[in-house]
Amino acid sequence: MVIGVLNQKGGVGKTTLSVNIAAALARTGKRVLLIDADPQGSALDWAAAREEEPLFAVVGLPKPSIHKELTVVGEGYDHIVIDGPPRVTDLARSAIMASDIVLIPVQPSPYDIWAADEVVKLIQEASVFKENIKSFFVINRKIANTAIGRDVRDALGGYNIPTLKASIVQRVVFAEAAAVGKAIYEQDRDGIASQEIEAVVNELKENFT
Ligand SMILES: Nc1ncnc2c1ncn2[C@@H]1O[C@H](COP(=O)(O)OP(=O)(O)OP(=O)(O)O)[C@@H](O)[C@H]1O
Ligand SMILES: [Mg+2]
């Protein structure tokens, strides 16, 4: 399965989710490749910060030819996760074309809901060429028991893209894990944050046939 984690909006959690989804998939014994398609190279930075053995392979490919190179670059892997860039349209378009599933992290803020418009358009364009592409919103950095946390689901319902039932709460441990190049399940020792990531991965697997 090729999962593209994309949103033209910056700072929504693309890298955080990419790294942790890749780690959760690798944990089940699958061979996983994380493609860093962002010129900022954040996923590569994460890998470089790590002192332990790598959990999965990470390569930088911030080029608009990802969809063409994937068959060669992705050879031998069971799952590929693509960490998308903010703003750069040609890279995002290529990453979408390379994906079986596009996952769009969205924070519970009206600005994020409005900005999702851009990536939704790119997916619509790509689906002309790639009919069976699936896409889902995932709510990230949810703040428990706030009205905006509940409303975001309704607001996203305005787009023609479903929102995953699983969502990720705002937790400092995500940044703490990233700082030392660890997956959330290593830092959080199978706590609630790891369970949320597992739930996202399970829902993606259920939707991949
Ligand atoms: N669920 C969360 N709880 C707490 N902090 C989070 C969470 N998700 C992301 N963050 C933090 O928010 C910041 C932005 O996240 P991240 O870098 O993953 O976003 P991004 O979409 O990849 O950004 P960019 O568009 O710049 O690539 C980081 O500091 C990250 O640690
Ligand atoms: Mg990023």
Side-chain angles (χ1 to χ4, degrees):
M1 148 167 93
V2 183
I3 305 170
V5 185
L6 289 147
N7 194 334
Q8 296 298 87
K9 180 106 173 35
V12 293
K14 295 180 289 294
T15 304
T16 303
L17 289 180
S18 295
V19 158
N20 285 296
I21 289 170
L25 290 167
R27 201 181 179 190
T28 64
K30 299 290 184 190
R31 290 159 301 177
V32 177
L33 172 67
L34 175 60
I35 296 180
D36 189 342
D38 183 355
Q40 290 179 109
S42 307
L44 290 169
D45 288 341
W46 172 86
R50 185 174 176 86
E51 283 177 4
E52 298 77 8
E53 287 290 299
L55 297 171
F56 48 82
V58 186
V59 296
L61 195 60
K63 291 196 269 177
S65 52
I66 302 163
H67 60 298
K68 293 181 191 155
E69 294 188 35
L70 198 74
T71 42
V72 176
V73 177
E75 170 95 62
Y77 291 98
D78 300 308
H79 298 299
I80 299 167
V81 180
I82 305 172
D83 179 16
R87 293 175 293 277
V88 201
T89 310
D90 58 344
L91 293 182
R93 195 176 276 132
S94 175
I96 292 169
M97 290 298 288
S99 301
D100 299 312
I101 295 186
V102 177
L103 185 65
I104 313 162
V106 175
Q107 299 181 98
S109 129
Y111 302 114
D112 277 49
I113 292 156
W114 296 324
D117 198 42
E118 269 190 66
V119 67
V120 169
K121 274 194 196 123
L122 289 179
I123 293 167
Q124 278 166 352
E125 284 165 22
S127 58
V128 174
F129 304 99
K130 208 175 166 179
E131 256 173 58
N132 46 4
I133 194 161
K134 291 185 177 175
S135 45
F136 300 93
F137 289 117
V138 60
I139 300 165
N140 181 35
R141 304 188 85 162
K142 199 166 86 173
I143 300 165
N145 303 320
T146 54
I148 188 75
R150 289 189 292 273
D151 292 348
V152 66
R153 212 167 264 283
D154 294 342
L156 289 172
Y159 289 109
N160 199 14
I161 288 180
T163 303
L164 291 185
K165 289 198 276 299
S167 56
I168 312 286
V169 167
Q170 157 84 24
R171 287 200 179 86
V172 156
V173 69
F174 279 104
E176 289 170 349
V180 288
K182 285 192 179 177
I184 197 70
Y185 75 78
E186 298 174 296
Q187 188 78 2
D188 183 45
R189 304 251 165 224
D190 292 322
I192 186 110
S194 318
Q195 288 169 26
E196 285 169 2
I197 293 288
E198 290 289 339
V200 166
V201 171
N202 288 337
E203 213 175 328
L204 292 177
K205 281 185 188 163
E206 279 166 25
N207 280 288
F208 181 71
T209 43

